[in-house]
Amino acid sequence: MNTTTNLLSEFKSIFNTTKEPRIFFAPGRINLIGEHTDYNGGHVFPASLSFGTYALGVKRNDQKLRFYSLNFPEAGIIECDLTNLLFHEKHSWANYPKGMLLYMQEVENKIFLGADILYYGNIPNGAGLSSSASIEMATGVLLNELFELQMERIPMVQLGQKVENNYIGVNSGIMDQFAIGMGKKDHAILLNCQTLEYEYAPFVLKEHVIMIINTNKQRTLAGSKYNERRAQCEEALKDLQKELSVSSLGQLTKTDFEQKKHLITDTVNQKRAKHAVYENARTLEALEKLRKGDLPGFGNLMNESHLSLRDDYEVTGLELDTIVQAAWEQKGVVGARMTGAGFGGCAIAMVEKDQVEEVKKNINTIYHETVGYDATFYIATIGDGAKEISKGEII
Ligand code: GLA
């Protein structure tokens, strides 16, 4: 499958229709730095990728909804009704679009007809590159256009987060939906997650690439320790609020933290909070390094970020640590760290272009020896955020 034309014919045969669907795309994302800072009111620095989720849809004349994913053909067509959009275990992946529909309908109250929607994604599932937020945002832009809702992008991004938090039950922050909804080709986004102020930073590397390295260890956010980390940060914040008038850890400087950390009674919570505060500072510094063209400085911050996620936040694990450690040992690697929630998923490395093949080979040898299976390597290209696309586009 390599063009949207193939998806169009799949659409017609799966839904047994001659109607021409409209085609939408939402990317996946990587986060360059600023991990586990979003729900702590700190900064993140993600970018949208050129691979993602395609969604093709037509309105129906009744209130039926039919969803099909070429990635989960065994699930078949998943059907439900506009009048009953509650979460249903047996609707598996289709709960993401259902949640989006439910919340967009609640806000706009303009969706009176059903739809047939086909999904195809080329983001590796469970790799921590936000395949679920990508489905949410692809659905968001599709519904917005099919039903002429005229919803602004940031409220749509916020609804995507609400789907994760309230509908799916993962207490994630806003980073993924924001990166995917607001992404811009060749740019990373510095986002203040407390205020939602953001700025685009040109991210075009001349002699280097960002390599994505998939551990191929599947992880699901809901089943992970994600919610526990968030709760630990909230407890730490409560302790600090006994003397400080702040509403998030993201408001603390490193000095504030060092002066007041004794207030955090639990030593584990203290480590979690330290990561949140220091990582936020690193993220702001990283933007400065990038602006000055200081890639080695940027790379060092990536390395420090990983160490903090490994030692203080404890969300890495053998697979990510093996890959990142192996990357650090390679000639031509400027910096490497895990990206996303952790607990498996992907790492990223900034690598000199002419060392890419050698670096891949060496990392994989070490990885295979340690865990018994291969890693997968991709070169990141930074594309646009969620949008409608035209027929025949290469995917
Ligand atoms: C996941 C969540 C994000 C963010 C990252 C960690 O991707 O969905 O909100 O918390 O983990 O930085």
Side-chain angles (χ1 to χ4, degrees), residues 318-336:
L318 174 72
E319 295 79 4
L320 282 167
D321 289 335
T322 304
I323 281 177
V324 170
Q325 182 68 43
W328 288 340
E329 287 160 11
Q330 303 308 312
K331 181 166 170 270
V333 172
V334 183

Side-chain angles (χ1 to χ4, degrees), residues 29 35-36 38-39 172-173 175-176 221 226 340-341:
R29 67 98 191 91
E35 218 66 83
H36 289 277
D38 60 353
Y39 53 82
S172 52
M175 171 171 76
D176 302 347
L221 270 184
Y226 186 92

Side-chain angles (χ1 to χ4, degrees), residues 213-219 306 310 315-327 337-338 342-348 363-364 366-368 370-377:
I213 312 162
N214 189 348
T215 60
N216 289 321
K217 182 194 180 196
Q218 292 276 325
R219 46 150 276 276
H306 188 83
R310 186 188 72 184
V315 292
T316 55
L318 174 72
E319 295 79 4
L320 282 167
D321 289 335
T322 304
I323 281 177
V324 170
Q325 182 68 43
R337 58 182 291 275
M338 55 154 269
F343 314 104
C346 288
I348 53 172
I363 294 178
N364 198 48
I366 297 171
Y367 189 63
H368 196 115
T370 313
V371 304
Y373 53 86
D374 288 339
T376 314
F377 299 80

Side-chain angles (χ1 to χ4, degrees), residues 83-111:
T83 54
N84 181 3
L85 289 173
L86 294 183
F87 181 93
H88 210 308
E89 197 73 53
K90 78 167 199 264
H91 289 158
S92 65
W93 69 271
N95 281 305
Y96 292 97
K98 273 179 60 188
M100 214 51 204
L101 239 159
L102 177 66
Y103 293 150
M104 285 178 80
Q105 170 66 337
E106 271 175 16
V107 172
E108 296 289 336
N109 197 20
K110 283 186 201 153
I111 305 177

Side-chain angles (χ1 to χ4, degrees), residues 29 31 34-40 44 128-130 132-133 161 164-165 170-177 219 221 226 230 275 279 309 313 337-342:
R29 67 98 191 91
N31 187 20
E35 218 66 83
H36 289 277
T37 45
D38 60 353
Y39 53 82
N40 283 310
V44 292
L129 302 176
S130 290
S132 63
Q161 185 194 7
E164 292 289 343
N165 295 171
V170 181
N171 267 329
S172 52
I174 191 114
M175 171 171 76
D176 302 347
Q177 290 80 8
R219 46 150 276 276
L221 270 184
Y226 186 92
R230 186 168 181 158
H275 167 77
E279 180 76 353
L309 289 155
Y313 220 64
R337 58 182 291 275
M338 55 154 269
T339 191

Side-chain angles (χ1 to χ4, degrees), residues 143-362:
L143 296 174
N144 198 37
E145 295 305 322
L146 287 192
F147 295 97
E148 296 172 26
L149 306 180
Q150 288 170 355
M151 187 175 231
E152 301 275 349
R153 194 51 70 93
I154 293 184
M156 191 192 292
V157 160
Q158 289 171 314
L159 284 190
Q161 185 194 7
K162 189 173 163 192
V163 171
E164 292 289 343
N165 295 171
N166 300 359
Y167 196 88
I168 304 291
V170 181
N171 267 329
S172 52
I174 191 114
M175 171 171 76
D176 302 347
Q177 290 80 8
F178 201 98
I180 290 169
M182 299 293 289
K184 184 165 155 185
K185 189 172 163 40
D186 294 334
H187 289 76
I189 313 176
L190 184 87
L191 170 68
N192 177 332
C193 300
Q194 177 95 17
T195 61
L196 295 192
E197 282 169 289
Y198 65 97
E199 69 179 270
Y200 291 109
F203 196 79
V204 185
L205 304 175
K206 292 193 192 91
E207 324 269 310
H208 297 82
V209 293
I210 293 288
M211 185 186 275
I212 303 175
I213 312 162
N214 189 348
T215 60
N216 289 321
K217 182 194 180 196
Q218 292 276 325
R219 46 150 276 276
T220 59
L221 270 184
S224 74
K225 298 264 182 194
Y226 186 92
N227 289 351
E228 182 189 293
R229 291 295 179 281
R230 186 168 181 158
Q232 289 168 329
C233 287
E234 279 160 12
E235 273 175 40
L237 177 66
K238 258 193 216 138
D239 286 345
L240 291 167
Q241 283 168 334
K242 284 178 199 141
E243 284 187 24
L244 292 173
S245 64
V246 287
S247 58
S248 73
L249 294 177
Q251 290 172 333
L252 296 172
T253 63
K254 290 191 277 188
T255 317
D256 295 335
F257 178 77
E258 291 304 330
Q259 282 167 357
K260 298 291 176 186
K261 65 181 182 193
H262 60 273
L263 295 172
I264 305 172
T265 47
D266 183 290
T267 49
V268 171
N269 291 352
Q270 201 179 102
K271 288 205 293 179
R272 308 296 191 240
K274 178 177 179 204
H275 167 77
V277 172
Y278 278 67
E279 180 76 353
N280 186 37
R282 273 190 289 273
T283 308
L284 292 168
E285 250 183 85
L287 176 68
E288 288 312 311
K289 301 280 183 211
L290 191 67
R291 280 205 183 116
K292 291 188 191 136
D294 177 3
L295 292 190
F298 192 94
N300 278 338
L301 291 166
M302 291 172 76
N303 300 347
E304 283 174 20
S305 165
H306 188 83
L307 288 173
S308 174
L309 289 155
R310 186 188 72 184
D311 301 335
D312 287 334
Y313 220 64
E314 298 180 273
V315 292
T316 55
L318 174 72
E319 295 79 4
L320 282 167
D321 289 335
T322 304
I323 281 177
V324 170
Q325 182 68 43
W328 288 340
E329 287 160 11
Q330 303 308 312
K331 181 166 170 270
V333 172
V334 183
R337 58 182 291 275
M338 55 154 269
T339 191
F343 314 104
C346 288
I348 53 172
M350 194 184 282
V351 184
E352 282 172 21
K353 269 185 189 156
D354 51 11
Q355 298 294 328
V356 163
E357 288 313 312
E358 195 63 18
V359 166
K360 275 189 201 170
K361 194 178 85 205
N362 295 345

